[in-house]
Amino acid sequence: MSSTAEVATNFGDIAHAIQLALAPVFLLTGIAGLLNVVAGRLARIIDRGRSLTEQPLPAHLQDSPELPKELNRLERRRHYASLAITACTCSALLVCVVVAVIFLQVLLQVEFKWVISALFTASTLTLIVGLAYFLREVHLATRTVRINVIARVE
């Protein structure tokens, strides 16, 4: 039978594990927000592609050489957004594994410092990749849209 001091020590270890897991959980929240933004952009890209391919086009676009170009740009943007989602999701999964390993370390009383470090580094690197793909998609979107500014005469 365990003593009161031993139970208090185990509870202290669990409380410490929760404290250690808190920072990765905040990172997970940030990644979830990023995934929400990228998924929204992907949905808009898909909606635009569908509107150009599944509905009757206005007369000025039916034989336009611009239509295949725009569809190609949308496909490239879709590809980059999809890669960003994949990389950010992998990063989130790695963060979840980090949290699980932190708790396993406490429960099993085994040192997993190198495993935790490697998983957290991998998570950070995959997040960097996801952000790079997101940046590339945004760059393509802003490069392909031009807003004509008309000078106002007052």
Side-chain angles (χ1 to χ4, degrees), residues 2-25:
S2 61
S3 69
T4 307
E6 187 178 320
V7 171
T9 303
N10 290 340
F11 180 75
D13 290 345
I14 292 171
H16 183 67
I18 291 171
Q19 289 172 343
L20 288 175
L22 206 54
V25 170

Side-chain angles (χ1 to χ4, degrees), residues 90-133:
C90 287
S91 179
L93 289 170
L94 287 167
V95 170
C96 290
V97 173
V98 166
V99 171
V101 172
I102 287 171
F103 281 102
L104 283 175
Q105 177 173 284
V106 170
L107 293 175
L108 301 176
Q109 297 294 315
V110 178
E111 288 294 325
F112 288 130
K113 289 179 182 177
W114 286 103
V115 174
I116 293 169
S117 298
L119 288 169
F120 190 77
T121 301
S123 173
T124 304
L125 292 175
T126 55
L127 181 58
I128 289 169
V129 169
L131 288 168
Y133 282 129

